[in-house]
């Protein structure tokens, strides 16, 4: 079995990174994933049922990396499914709609849940989406940035519609995961089974 390193080898060993999108319904999780993967935007996209999956190969700092992107459904009735999708994730994007304060207030719950039940060392990023709708702003930049800082997350204001900062979220997350070098996700195992290695310990 070809496990990834114990953290002493360079980031080039990082082959696949599981990234999960979390946040209230309608904040733009699917739109962010779609913008990143297909560089398109649907003004009237449908609400996600259960979850959806996309992937994209990128080369970050010279090392190829496959982003496995799990886009969860924000409707409350699907909340109980979320652990299935954040399990084994190296990174999470916590999305709120900067024109909807209630979506921002719900993010604390996701941070608490990830701390309690999520993967150890998961890398976090907060995305304040729909920043093209400045006239409808309900959450100030400083509020979002402070929340992110307290949660140990990076922070970006994004627009899936206008393609603002969407690529930067993913590049930043991949860079941070590679830098940490402690949570490496690889699919080059002999049986082709994806595995996560934490210093030699297989956890999924
Ligand atoms: P669920 O699947 O229900 O959890 O919602 P979601 O978070 O995936 O939201 P989705 O991507 O479906 O977007 C909801 C609505 O917001 C859609 O009508 C999108 O077109 C719109 N939307 C998403 N991102 C943006 C953005 O950056 N700017 C603007 N103006 N609208 C956006
Ligand atoms: Mg969706």
């Amino acid at each position: 079995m070809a496990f990834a390193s114990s953290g002493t080898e360079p980031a080039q060993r990082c082959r696949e990174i599981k990234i999960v999108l979390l946040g209230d319904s309608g904040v733009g999780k699917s739109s962010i994933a779609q913008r990143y993967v297909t560089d398109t935007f649907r003004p009237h996209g449908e609400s996600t049922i259960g979850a959806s999956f996309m992937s994209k190969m990128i080369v970050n700092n010279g090392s190829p990396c496959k982003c496995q992107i799990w886009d969860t459904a924000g409707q409350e009735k699907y909340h109980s499914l979320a652990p299935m999708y954040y399990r084994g994730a190296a990174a999470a994007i916590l999305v709120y709609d900067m024109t909807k304060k209630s979506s921002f207030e719900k993010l604390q719950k996701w941070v608490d849940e990830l701390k309690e039940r999520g993967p150890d060392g998961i890398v976090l990023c907060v995305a304040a989406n729909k920043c093209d709708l400045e006239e409808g702003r309900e959450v100030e930049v400083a509020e979002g940035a402070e929340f992110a800082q307290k949660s140990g997350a990076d922070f970006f204001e994004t627009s899936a519609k206008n393609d603002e900062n969407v690529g930067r979220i993913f590049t930043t997350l991949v860079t941070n995961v590679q830098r940490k070098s402690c949570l490496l996700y690889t699919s080059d195992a002999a049986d082709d089974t994806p595995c996560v290695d934490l210093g030699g310990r297989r956890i999924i």
Side-chain angles (χ1 to χ4, degrees):
M1 175 95 22
F3 275 132
S5 77
S6 60
T8 52
E9 291 180 43
Q12 277 82 342
R13 295 297 303 276
C14 204
R15 297 279 187 270
E16 295 187 17
I17 292 177
K18 179 177 176 182
I19 299 172
V20 65
L21 284 138
L22 300 168
D24 218 357
S25 181
V27 295
K29 299 178 297 298
S30 302
S31 302
I32 288 172
Q34 186 183 329
R35 169 61 73 188
Y36 183 59
V37 174
T38 66
D39 199 16
T40 56
F41 176 74
R42 281 184 302 162
H44 306 291
E46 281 162 20
S47 192
T48 304
I49 296 169
S52 78
F53 172 76
M54 292 186 221
S55 71
K56 177 166 168 145
M57 267 315 277
I58 61 165
V59 177
N60 194 44
N61 297 325
S63 81
C65 174
K66 187 175 180 186
C67 293
Q68 296 188 334
I69 302 162
W70 286 93
D71 167 29
T72 63
Q75 290 179 52
E76 195 52 44
K77 62 182 172 185
Y78 297 118
H79 189 117
S80 60
L81 300 178
M84 270 185 350
Y85 301 110
Y86 61 65
R87 179 173 174 260
I93 305 172
L94 304 167
V95 187
Y96 69 88
D97 174 350
M98 51 83 93
T99 72
K100 212 170 161 198
K101 188 103 178 183
S102 59
S103 70
F104 173 62
E105 289 163 351
K106 285 196 189 156
L107 281 198
Q108 185 63 56
K109 175 188 68 142
W110 281 115
V111 171
D112 294 344
E113 180 168 336
L114 285 175
K115 273 194 188 135
E116 208 175 299
R117 303 170 62 191
D120 285 344
I122 188 167
V123 173
L124 301 180
C125 182
V126 172
N129 194 40
K130 306 196 187 182
C131 71
D132 55 285
L133 299 175
E134 183 58 43
E135 69 284 359
R137 178 185 287 279
E138 286 189 2
V139 184
E140 295 306 318
V141 183
E143 284 180 87
E146 188 187 350
F147 169 77
Q149 196 197 7
K150 279 188 186 152
S151 309
D154 282 294
F155 175 74
F156 293 101
E157 289 220 307
T158 59
S159 169
K161 183 179 180 189
N162 291 353
D163 193 14
E164 274 182 65
N165 281 335
V166 172
R168 279 185 70 195
I169 296 177
F170 288 90
T171 311
T172 302
L173 284 178
V174 169
T175 302
N176 288 346
V177 170
Q178 288 178 331
R179 230 182 244 144
K180 280 182 99 168
S181 292
C182 62
L183 215 174
L184 300 179
Y185 195 89
T186 178
S187 65
D188 59 0
D191 61 1
D192 211 29
T193 306
C195 58
V196 168
D197 176 58
L198 278 170
R201 205 155 43 91
R202 184 174 176 141
I203 58 168
I204 66 168

